[in-house]
Amino acid sequence: MKPGAILMDNVSLAYRLYHDRAVTLRETMLNVFNRSTKTEMFTALDGVSFDVEPGEALAIIGANGAGKSTTLKLLAGIYEPSSGIAETGGRIASLLDLGVGFHPDLTGEENLMLNGSLIGLDRNTMKDLIPEIADFAELTRFMDTPVKYYSDGMFMRLGFSLATAVDPDVLLIDEVLAVGDARFQEKCYERIWSFRKKGKTIIFVSHDMNAVAKLCTRAVLLNDGRIQMDGEVEAVLSEYLEGVRSKHDAAAVSPKEWGTREVWFDSVTLRNVSGTPSRIFQKGEKIIVDAVIKTRLSGTVDGVVFGFSLHRPDGETIIGTNNLEMNEPLLKVSESTEASIEIMLDVEEPGSYILGLALTDPPAHKDYHWQEFFYPVTLLDARIDPPLRLSDVTWKQC
């Protein structure tokens, strides 16, 4: 295969789960000869197929247990598929479990030399790389210290620096970018971006939808070990977030629609400034609503008020305004008219919201067409770490 190319062809992975817990050696030996040992086959991946061209940045998303990490381990060669073909071309760097393979009694430098030999790099090459790795990890002073004395942050920084210093053709990333403080995390993202600019292939697994949207152009959505959707990252993220919302937001409001329909929305498209239809928007990005508005009345209908509102999933209204309140021109609608709204928001609380639209004539007390709670949107911002802080906790025995 070409360096950086990836092929997953009808890949399945199943393994046996044992439900008998052996505590002692005697129990273990008895279980070997016990025909009634409780087992079941678990299918982690079921007929997964996709291919990746060299230089492509692909996100793999889905709920916990969907098969994301399993896919990366297959590509890394840690697992062998039960059936199908999983192939990767060129050198692979795996950011799966940072620091796996480091020996606690060896120094940082000794561990780098050992791991370099395991991935096929000769001694002189690793000697040349070590100063760069140590400098990026900010551990130059500690390279002659056994890693068992490293903090968790130091350990992970060294693992990340090593994995990204060997000029891989394919970079596999599994939710490991919470490395060090915010400043060092930004360094990590900059290094990953540099790989993308060099045309390296990136496979990215993360629950950080903001990072996925920034880094990747394509996404695969896994659901119970099967591919639910494969396409442009905005469309796949919308599908995933809509599924999360429907599963976990039982109190979510239902779309409502009413009005005289003398003037109505014939079609509505939400898009970003580049023209791509989307329901997911970054902080500081405009939400553009393009509408085709029609009327069944003869002639031109003047003075049409075009409004919008944004709601939380439980229906609470956050923002609502229209062109009349904002002293913008009112619409003149005849047969078929195109109109748009460009919405710029200061996002203080990223998350899921619902957009509603309305066409009215307040002086005439007419509601032409209301679409309330109609268009789910997701507003993204960088994740805050930690997302929660403990204020207080008390135990009582009654």
mmCIF file of all heavy atoms in Angstrom, residues 303-335:
data_model
loop_
_atom_site.group_PDB
_atom_site.id
_atom_site.type_symbol
_atom_site.label_atom_id
_atom_site.label_comp_id
_atom_site.label_asym_id
_atom_site.label_seq_id
_atom_site.Cartn_x
_atom_site.Cartn_y
_atom_site.Cartn_z
ATOM 1 N N GLY A 303 -44.408 44.334 3.897
ATOM 2 C CA GLY A 303 -44.325 44.449 5.355
ATOM 3 C C GLY A 303 -44.269 43.127 6.096
ATOM 4 O O GLY A 303 -44.763 43.025 7.227
ATOM 5 N N VAL A 304 -43.656 42.096 5.482
ATOM 6 C CA VAL A 304 -43.567 40.793 6.157
ATOM 7 C C VAL A 304 -42.410 40.816 7.153
ATOM 8 O O VAL A 304 -41.267 41.152 6.804
ATOM 9 C CB VAL A 304 -43.367 39.652 5.141
ATOM 10 C CG1 VAL A 304 -43.189 38.320 5.861
ATOM 11 C CG2 VAL A 304 -44.550 39.591 4.182
ATOM 12 N N VAL A 305 -42.713 40.476 8.379
ATOM 13 C CA VAL A 305 -41.708 40.439 9.441
ATOM 14 C C VAL A 305 -41.112 39.033 9.497
ATOM 15 O O VAL A 305 -41.837 38.041 9.610
ATOM 16 C CB VAL A 305 -42.324 40.819 10.796
ATOM 17 C CG1 VAL A 305 -41.287 40.662 11.913
ATOM 18 C CG2 VAL A 305 -42.846 42.250 10.751
ATOM 19 N N PHE A 306 -39.780 38.968 9.403
ATOM 20 C CA PHE A 306 -39.045 37.702 9.411
ATOM 21 C C PHE A 306 -38.270 37.637 10.723
ATOM 22 O O PHE A 306 -37.370 38.439 10.978
ATOM 23 C CB PHE A 306 -38.102 37.677 8.208
ATOM 24 C CG PHE A 306 -37.383 36.369 7.974
ATOM 25 C CD1 PHE A 306 -37.613 35.240 8.757
ATOM 26 C CD2 PHE A 306 -36.449 36.269 6.948
ATOM 27 C CE1 PHE A 306 -36.943 34.052 8.515
ATOM 28 C CE2 PHE A 306 -35.773 35.087 6.701
ATOM 29 C CZ PHE A 306 -36.020 33.976 7.489
ATOM 30 N N GLY A 307 -38.639 36.699 11.591
ATOM 31 C CA GLY A 307 -38.015 36.607 12.903
ATOM 32 C C GLY A 307 -37.428 35.241 13.187
ATOM 33 O O GLY A 307 -37.705 34.259 12.493
ATOM 34 N N PHE A 308 -36.601 35.190 14.219
ATOM 35 C CA PHE A 308 -36.029 33.908 14.655
ATOM 36 C C PHE A 308 -35.947 33.896 16.167
ATOM 37 O O PHE A 308 -35.999 34.940 16.841
ATOM 38 C CB PHE A 308 -34.636 33.687 14.055
ATOM 39 C CG PHE A 308 -33.547 34.507 14.686
ATOM 40 C CD1 PHE A 308 -32.807 34.018 15.757
ATOM 41 C CD2 PHE A 308 -33.265 35.791 14.220
ATOM 42 C CE1 PHE A 308 -31.808 34.779 16.345
ATOM 43 C CE2 PHE A 308 -32.265 36.556 14.796
ATOM 44 C CZ PHE A 308 -31.535 36.046 15.863
ATOM 45 N N SER A 309 -35.819 32.697 16.724
ATOM 46 C CA SER A 309 -35.623 32.530 18.161
ATOM 47 C C SER A 309 -34.736 31.319 18.391
ATOM 48 O O SER A 309 -34.727 30.379 17.599
ATOM 49 C CB SER A 309 -36.963 32.355 18.883
ATOM 50 O OG SER A 309 -37.691 31.267 18.339
ATOM 51 N N LEU A 310 -33.976 31.361 19.481
ATOM 52 C CA LEU A 310 -33.137 30.230 19.875
ATOM 53 C C LEU A 310 -33.567 29.766 21.253
ATOM 54 O O LEU A 310 -33.801 30.575 22.158
ATOM 55 C CB LEU A 310 -31.662 30.626 19.895
ATOM 56 C CG LEU A 310 -30.906 30.494 18.566
ATOM 57 C CD1 LEU A 310 -29.563 31.189 18.651
ATOM 58 C CD2 LEU A 310 -30.704 29.029 18.199
ATOM 59 N N HIS A 311 -33.659 28.430 21.406
ATOM 60 C CA HIS A 311 -34.179 27.834 22.636
ATOM 61 C C HIS A 311 -33.234 26.744 23.126
ATOM 62 O O HIS A 311 -32.537 26.103 22.337
ATOM 63 C CB HIS A 311 -35.554 27.195 22.390
ATOM 64 C CG HIS A 311 -36.499 28.071 21.630
ATOM 65 N ND1 HIS A 311 -37.441 28.855 22.239
ATOM 66 C CD2 HIS A 311 -36.641 28.280 20.294
ATOM 67 C CE1 HIS A 311 -38.129 29.514 21.322
ATOM 68 N NE2 HIS A 311 -37.660 29.184 20.130
ATOM 69 N N ARG A 312 -33.234 26.550 24.430
ATOM 70 C CA ARG A 312 -32.607 25.360 24.979
ATOM 71 C C ARG A 312 -33.471 24.144 24.627
ATOM 72 O O ARG A 312 -34.633 24.295 24.275
ATOM 73 C CB ARG A 312 -32.469 25.478 26.495
ATOM 74 C CG ARG A 312 -31.351 26.412 26.949
ATOM 75 C CD ARG A 312 -31.026 26.193 28.409
ATOM 76 N NE ARG A 312 -29.826 26.909 28.808
ATOM 77 C CZ ARG A 312 -29.797 28.080 29.399
ATOM 78 N NH1 ARG A 312 -30.949 28.698 29.670
ATOM 79 N NH2 ARG A 312 -28.668 28.660 29.738
ATOM 80 N N PRO A 313 -32.905 22.920 24.734
ATOM 81 C CA PRO A 313 -33.676 21.738 24.357
ATOM 82 C C PRO A 313 -34.966 21.551 25.152
ATOM 83 O O PRO A 313 -35.891 20.882 24.683
ATOM 84 C CB PRO A 313 -32.706 20.580 24.624
ATOM 85 C CG PRO A 313 -31.358 21.181 24.449
ATOM 86 C CD PRO A 313 -31.484 22.588 24.994
ATOM 87 N N ASP A 314 -35.043 22.138 26.350
ATOM 88 C CA ASP A 314 -36.282 22.004 27.128
ATOM 89 C C ASP A 314 -37.324 23.049 26.741
ATOM 90 O O ASP A 314 -38.406 23.104 27.327
ATOM 91 C CB ASP A 314 -35.989 22.082 28.627
ATOM 92 C CG ASP A 314 -35.372 23.426 29.041
ATOM 93 O OD1 ASP A 314 -35.225 24.310 28.169
ATOM 94 O OD2 ASP A 314 -35.038 23.576 30.227
ATOM 95 N N GLY A 315 -37.000 23.905 25.755
ATOM 96 C CA GLY A 315 -37.959 24.889 25.274
ATOM 97 C C GLY A 315 -37.743 26.293 25.790
ATOM 98 O O GLY A 315 -38.397 27.233 25.313
ATOM 99 N N GLU A 316 -36.853 26.479 26.763
ATOM 100 C CA GLU A 316 -36.616 27.821 27.291
ATOM 101 C C GLU A 316 -36.056 28.726 26.202
ATOM 102 O O GLU A 316 -35.070 28.400 25.537
ATOM 103 C CB GLU A 316 -35.634 27.756 28.459
ATOM 104 C CG GLU A 316 -35.312 29.124 29.046
ATOM 105 C CD GLU A 316 -34.206 29.071 30.072
ATOM 106 O OE1 GLU A 316 -33.759 27.961 30.419
ATOM 107 O OE2 GLU A 316 -33.763 30.143 30.519
ATOM 108 N N THR A 317 -36.679 29.870 26.001
ATOM 109 C CA THR A 317 -36.236 30.811 24.976
ATOM 110 C C THR A 317 -35.035 31.609 25.486
ATOM 111 O O THR A 317 -35.086 32.199 26.565
ATOM 112 C CB THR A 317 -37.363 31.777 24.582
ATOM 113 O OG1 THR A 317 -38.474 31.020 24.085
ATOM 114 C CG2 THR A 317 -36.903 32.740 23.504
ATOM 115 N N ILE A 318 -33.967 31.623 24.690
ATOM 116 C CA ILE A 318 -32.753 32.340 25.049
ATOM 117 C C ILE A 318 -32.693 33.682 24.324
ATOM 118 O O ILE A 318 -32.421 34.721 24.916
ATOM 119 C CB ILE A 318 -31.499 31.512 24.704
ATOM 120 C CG1 ILE A 318 -31.583 30.127 25.339
ATOM 121 C CG2 ILE A 318 -30.242 32.231 25.157
ATOM 122 C CD1 ILE A 318 -31.674 30.145 26.844
ATOM 123 N N ILE A 319 -32.935 33.661 23.038
ATOM 124 C CA ILE A 319 -32.860 34.859 22.197
ATOM 125 C C ILE A 319 -34.029 34.836 21.233
ATOM 126 O O ILE A 319 -34.395 33.779 20.711
ATOM 127 C CB ILE A 319 -31.545 34.905 21.394
ATOM 128 C CG1 ILE A 319 -30.334 35.053 22.320
ATOM 129 C CG2 ILE A 319 -31.545 36.053 20.384
ATOM 130 C CD1 ILE A 319 -29.014 34.893 21.606
ATOM 131 N N GLY A 320 -34.623 35.998 20.981
ATOM 132 C CA GLY A 320 -35.655 36.105 19.969
ATOM 133 C C GLY A 320 -35.738 37.528 19.445
ATOM 134 O O GLY A 320 -35.789 38.480 20.235
ATOM 135 N N THR A 321 -35.700 37.698 18.133
ATOM 136 C CA THR A 321 -35.814 39.027 17.544
ATOM 137 C C THR A 321 -36.269 38.887 16.101
ATOM 138 O O THR A 321 -36.422 37.777 15.583
ATOM 139 C CB THR A 321 -34.483 39.795 17.644
ATOM 140 O OG1 THR A 321 -34.704 41.159 17.275
ATOM 141 C CG2 THR A 321 -33.424 39.197 16.742
ATOM 142 N N ASN A 322 -36.500 40.046 15.444
ATOM 143 C CA ASN A 322 -36.944 40.022 14.049
ATOM 144 C C ASN A 322 -36.478 41.304 13.355
ATOM 145 O O ASN A 322 -35.913 42.207 13.988
ATOM 146 C CB ASN A 322 -38.464 39.852 13.958
ATOM 147 C CG ASN A 322 -39.216 40.920 14.729
ATOM 148 O OD1 ASN A 322 -39.007 42.122 14.518
ATOM 149 N ND2 ASN A 322 -40.087 40.506 15.648
ATOM 150 N N ASN A 323 -36.737 41.375 12.055
ATOM 151 C CA ASN A 323 -36.255 42.533 11.296
ATOM 152 C C ASN A 323 -36.979 43.827 11.668
ATOM 153 O O ASN A 323 -36.430 44.919 11.500
ATOM 154 C CB ASN A 323 -36.350 42.274 9.785
ATOM 155 C CG ASN A 323 -37.707 41.775 9.336
ATOM 156 O OD1 ASN A 323 -38.576 41.486 10.157
ATOM 157 N ND2 ASN A 323 -37.898 41.675 8.024
ATOM 158 N N LEU A 324 -38.189 43.733 12.210
ATOM 159 C CA LEU A 324 -38.890 44.935 12.657
ATOM 160 C C LEU A 324 -38.233 45.501 13.906
ATOM 161 O O LEU A 324 -37.946 46.704 13.990
ATOM 162 C CB LEU A 324 -40.364 44.620 12.915
ATOM 163 C CG LEU A 324 -41.238 45.780 13.415
ATOM 164 C CD1 LEU A 324 -41.285 46.901 12.374
ATOM 165 C CD2 LEU A 324 -42.648 45.286 13.749
ATOM 166 N N GLU A 325 -37.968 44.640 14.902
ATOM 167 C CA GLU A 325 -37.347 45.087 16.148
ATOM 168 C C GLU A 325 -35.936 45.632 15.907
ATOM 169 O O GLU A 325 -35.496 46.543 16.598
ATOM 170 C CB GLU A 325 -37.288 43.934 17.150
ATOM 171 C CG GLU A 325 -38.637 43.516 17.711
ATOM 172 C CD GLU A 325 -38.500 42.400 18.722
ATOM 173 O OE1 GLU A 325 -37.381 41.864 18.851
ATOM 174 O OE2 GLU A 325 -39.502 42.053 19.365
ATOM 175 N N MET A 326 -35.236 45.051 14.945
ATOM 176 C CA MET A 326 -33.850 45.451 14.680
ATOM 177 C C MET A 326 -33.762 46.596 13.673
ATOM 178 O O MET A 326 -32.669 46.964 13.240
ATOM 179 C CB MET A 326 -33.047 44.244 14.170
ATOM 180 C CG MET A 326 -32.993 43.078 15.148
ATOM 181 S SD MET A 326 -32.137 43.476 16.696
ATOM 182 C CE MET A 326 -30.451 43.675 16.118
ATOM 183 N N ASN A 327 -34.926 47.155 13.304
ATOM 184 C CA ASN A 327 -34.978 48.273 12.362
ATOM 185 C C ASN A 327 -34.316 47.926 11.027
ATOM 186 O O ASN A 327 -33.643 48.746 10.398
ATOM 187 C CB ASN A 327 -34.311 49.514 12.962
ATOM 188 C CG ASN A 327 -34.739 50.799 12.259
ATOM 189 O OD1 ASN A 327 -35.850 50.888 11.719
ATOM 190 N ND2 ASN A 327 -33.861 51.800 12.245
ATOM 191 N N GLU A 328 -34.520 46.682 10.585
ATOM 192 C CA GLU A 328 -34.033 46.212 9.293
ATOM 193 C C GLU A 328 -35.191 46.259 8.293
ATOM 194 O O GLU A 328 -36.373 46.269 8.686
ATOM 195 C CB GLU A 328 -33.496 44.782 9.416
ATOM 196 C CG GLU A 328 -32.230 44.664 10.256
ATOM 197 C CD GLU A 328 -30.998 45.118 9.498
ATOM 198 O OE1 GLU A 328 -30.975 44.987 8.257
ATOM 199 O OE2 GLU A 328 -30.062 45.629 10.145
ATOM 200 N N PRO A 329 -34.911 46.241 6.977
ATOM 201 C CA PRO A 329 -35.996 46.291 5.988
ATOM 202 C C PRO A 329 -36.948 45.102 6.125
ATOM 203 O O PRO A 329 -36.501 43.957 6.330
ATOM 204 C CB PRO A 329 -35.247 46.249 4.649
ATOM 205 C CG PRO A 329 -33.866 46.732 4.952
ATOM 206 C CD PRO A 329 -33.575 46.280 6.338
ATOM 207 N N LEU A 330 -38.246 45.373 6.022
ATOM 208 C CA LEU A 330 -39.240 44.304 6.017
ATOM 209 C C LEU A 330 -39.280 43.665 4.627
ATOM 210 O O LEU A 330 -38.814 44.242 3.638
ATOM 211 C CB LEU A 330 -40.602 44.847 6.401
ATOM 212 C CG LEU A 330 -40.685 45.566 7.761
ATOM 213 C CD1 LEU A 330 -42.133 45.933 8.074
ATOM 214 C CD2 LEU A 330 -40.090 44.719 8.868
ATOM 215 N N LEU A 331 -39.809 42.446 4.561
ATOM 216 C CA LEU A 331 -39.798 41.704 3.312
ATOM 217 C C LEU A 331 -40.958 42.095 2.404
ATOM 218 O O LEU A 331 -42.059 42.409 2.884
ATOM 219 C CB LEU A 331 -39.871 40.194 3.586
ATOM 220 C CG LEU A 331 -38.751 39.557 4.418
ATOM 221 C CD1 LEU A 331 -38.949 38.048 4.463
ATOM 222 C CD2 LEU A 331 -37.380 39.891 3.873
ATOM 223 N N LYS A 332 -40.686 42.029 1.113
ATOM 224 C CA LYS A 332 -41.723 42.113 0.094
ATOM 225 C C LYS A 332 -41.741 40.775 -0.625
ATOM 226 O O LYS A 332 -40.763 40.391 -1.263
ATOM 227 C CB LYS A 332 -41.431 43.239 -0.893
ATOM 228 C CG LYS A 332 -41.446 44.627 -0.272
ATOM 229 C CD LYS A 332 -41.155 45.690 -1.322
ATOM 230 C CE LYS A 332 -41.169 47.088 -0.700
ATOM 231 N NZ LYS A 332 -40.899 48.137 -1.723
ATOM 232 N N VAL A 333 -42.837 40.035 -0.502
ATOM 233 C CA VAL A 333 -42.909 38.675 -1.014
ATOM 234 C C VAL A 333 -43.869 38.625 -2.187
ATOM 235 O O VAL A 333 -45.034 39.044 -2.061
ATOM 236 C CB VAL A 333 -43.358 37.680 0.080
ATOM 237 C CG1 VAL A 333 -43.421 36.267 -0.486
ATOM 238 C CG2 VAL A 333 -42.411 37.741 1.271
ATOM 239 N N SER A 334 -43.385 38.115 -3.317
ATOM 240 C CA SER A 334 -44.248 37.898 -4.471
ATOM 241 C C SER A 334 -43.882 36.566 -5.102
ATOM 242 O O SER A 334 -42.733 36.366 -5.504
ATOM 243 C CB SER A 334 -44.090 39.023 -5.489
ATOM 244 O OG SER A 334 -42.743 39.159 -5.887
ATOM 245 N N GLU A 335 -44.821 35.659 -5.159
ATOM 246 C CA GLU A 335 -44.649 34.308 -5.679
ATOM 247 C C GLU A 335 -43.538 33.572 -4.936
ATOM 248 O O GLU A 335 -43.799 32.787 -4.048
ATOM 249 C CB GLU A 335 -44.398 34.320 -7.189
ATOM 250 C CG GLU A 335 -45.609 34.761 -8.002
ATOM 251 C CD GLU A 335 -45.399 34.551 -9.487
ATOM 252 O OE1 GLU A 335 -44.316 34.058 -9.885
ATOM 253 O OE2 GLU A 335 -46.322 34.888 -10.242
#
